[in-house]
Amino acid sequence: MRTKVTAVFDIGKTNKKFFLFDKDFKEVHKEYISFDETVDEDGFPTENLGALQQWIKGVFDRILEAREFNIKAINFSTYGASFVHIDEHGKPVTPLYNYLKPLDQNIINDFFRKYGPKEKFLKTTGCADLSMLNSGLQLYWLKYSQPEVFKKIKYSLHLPQYLSYIFTGLPLSEYTSIGCHTALWDYEKKDYHPWVYKEELDKILPPIVSTETSINMNYNGKRIKIGVGIHDSSAALLPYVRSIRKKFILVSTGTWSIVFNPFTQNPIASESDDGDTINYMRINGKPVKATRLFLGNEYKVQVAKLDKYYGVSDDYHRSVKFDYSIYENITQDFKLCYKWEGLKDDNMPETTQMPYDTYEYAYHQLMSELVLLQIKCIEQAIGNDDISRIYVDGGFSNNDVYIKLLTHKFRSKKLSTTDASLGSALGAAISISDTKLNSKFLKKNYALKKHVPFIIGGK
């Protein structure tokens, strides 16, 4: 008997993944691929949309014929801030522009002359700044820099919704893609920002539906439920929201460490928040306050310097465990030693000072300073909300020093780590499922581990 499964395409900028999950959301099949990037009309690297589309259709058609699986549903999780602009025949009219592509400063200045002041606009739309990373600005840029191309656009679809469109032919929008720092959404009005209507962009933005929407279709002779797609950060948050009954924050770590507060009473960034406070959206349209820190990037840079300075191997840092006596020594007369490369900190020294004889001491100092910045991010995300649970997933959930220091700082709260390597793909599967998740879901599927603070004077 064939296993009933939900298929998910999880599309990152580097790795493209395909998963099959059974009814208990256990992974039963996976495939990975990566493509060489192509370039846009300016020679800037960009996603090879044609290759991506060909791979997705090819994989799905092959799995559909596989004897061991019976596909009942399919959904799509992808990175955000990326539009596919299609014409009346459903064909893309531009490349899938890379969100790292520089945006002409004149366009940004012109935009704020019309719709500023800048600070008020950024707070209202939940953005940290404006660039190509804000997909709404891409529409403005196209309208005024490539008017002939812009006229050909029938619909602009965020990438998750375009992948769904490939299968259904239905152009739709959904909340998580609109809500991730696009500069399109007015979080106070709970509608598109007035500038969207003034520029008549609403005419090319398809109808908004709930992220839980699915379309029952006959595909190659089989009845399949097809989801409308979901933004990957919101997807990664979903299993926690669905299975945990009490309020929590999620610290999702990697190149960026993003702290999500899905329960905030004050989702709009206040004057006291810094520029890295942004908004995401839950699948039901509710805002998620988030703060971000370029943690993994800075860690990588600084660890490479330490490796060279102390003459150790590239992976030596993975073996360093928390040592209370080292921590006690560096905190007795604590001072900041590191000059950051990619982080802002008014208190950092002008150059890195390294007063330690051993790698272990220097590493504990590094982690102590990075965790101070992480603590600030967490406190900003929590704000005045009464939240007593912290979940940490991603690369730093396995970093002993990081977790011990965070647990010590937040010893009045319950801190747990999870192994959420499937996070966004699993979230995409759950979003179109009618299954209710219980409180044991994280333990069974995510290797949930609770941590206790170390005892002062010992481990």
Side-chain angles (χ1 to χ4, degrees), residues 86-156:
I86 59 174
D87 63 17
E88 59 185 340
H89 304 294
K91 303 292 184 192
V93 297
T94 72
L96 176 59
Y97 291 113
N98 190 327
Y99 62 61
L100 298 174
K101 180 183 173 81
L103 194 57
D104 185 348
Q105 189 60 42
N106 292 328
I107 291 284
I108 296 172
N109 294 342
D110 181 62
F111 182 87
F112 281 127
R113 269 195 296 273
K114 284 188 194 173
Y115 302 112
K118 178 179 177 179
E119 286 70 25
K120 185 175 188 303
F121 181 87
L122 294 178
K123 301 279 186 208
T124 306
T125 56
C127 298
D129 213 334
L130 289 192
S131 66
M132 207 69 149
L133 195 57
N134 312 99
S135 52
L137 260 287
Q138 186 185 133
L139 293 174
Y140 188 84
W141 165 70
L142 277 173
K143 182 176 178 181
Y144 291 102
S145 68
Q146 300 186 52
E148 293 309 309
V149 173
F150 184 80
K151 283 177 190 168
K152 295 177 185 173
I153 298 173
K154 175 73 172 173
Y155 292 110
S156 290

Side-chain angles (χ1 to χ4, degrees), residues 123 127-128 269-278 289-293 344 373 376-377 380:
K123 301 279 186 208
C127 298
S270 66
E271 297 306 317
S272 63
D273 289 320
D274 66 18
D276 276 328
T277 301
I278 53 179
K289 184 178 181 180
T291 55
R292 63 183 183 175
L293 178 68
K344 295 179 206 161
L373 298 177
K376 183 184 173 191
C377 259
Q380 281 193 332

Side-chain angles (χ1 to χ4, degrees), residues 20 30 43 64 116 169 175 237 279 331 336 349 357-358 379 384 432:
L20 295 178
K30 70 178 174 185
L64 213 54
Y175 288 113
L237 180 63
N279 281 126
T331 52
L336 300 175
D357 295 331
T358 71
E379 288 175 339
N384 296 321
I432 58 165

Side-chain angles (χ1 to χ4, degrees), residues 7 9 73-78 157-178 206-217 225-231 283 428-429 431-433:
F9 284 97
I74 179 174
N75 207 3
F76 315 88
S77 160
T78 87
L157 300 167
H158 278 105
L159 183 55
Q161 284 69 63
Y162 176 70
L163 299 187
S164 176
Y165 174 83
I166 291 171
F167 288 83
T168 66
L170 294 173
L172 297 168
S173 302
E174 59 77 44
Y175 288 113
T176 69
S177 293
I178 297 167
I208 301 172
V209 296
S210 161
T211 316
E212 295 170 288
T213 302
S214 57
I215 299 102
N216 287 307
M217 287 193 64
K225 187 163 71 167
I226 301 174
V228 297
I230 183 170
H231 176 240
I283 62 173
S431 71
I432 58 165
S433 163

Side-chain angles (χ1 to χ4, degrees), residues 6 45 50 69 83 150 200 305 340 350 357 399 405 445 457:
T6 296
F69 302 117
F83 266 132
F150 184 80
E200 298 187 331
K305 290 182 178 182
W340 306 127
E350 290 187 12
D357 295 331
N399 185 308
L405 291 174
N445 296 64

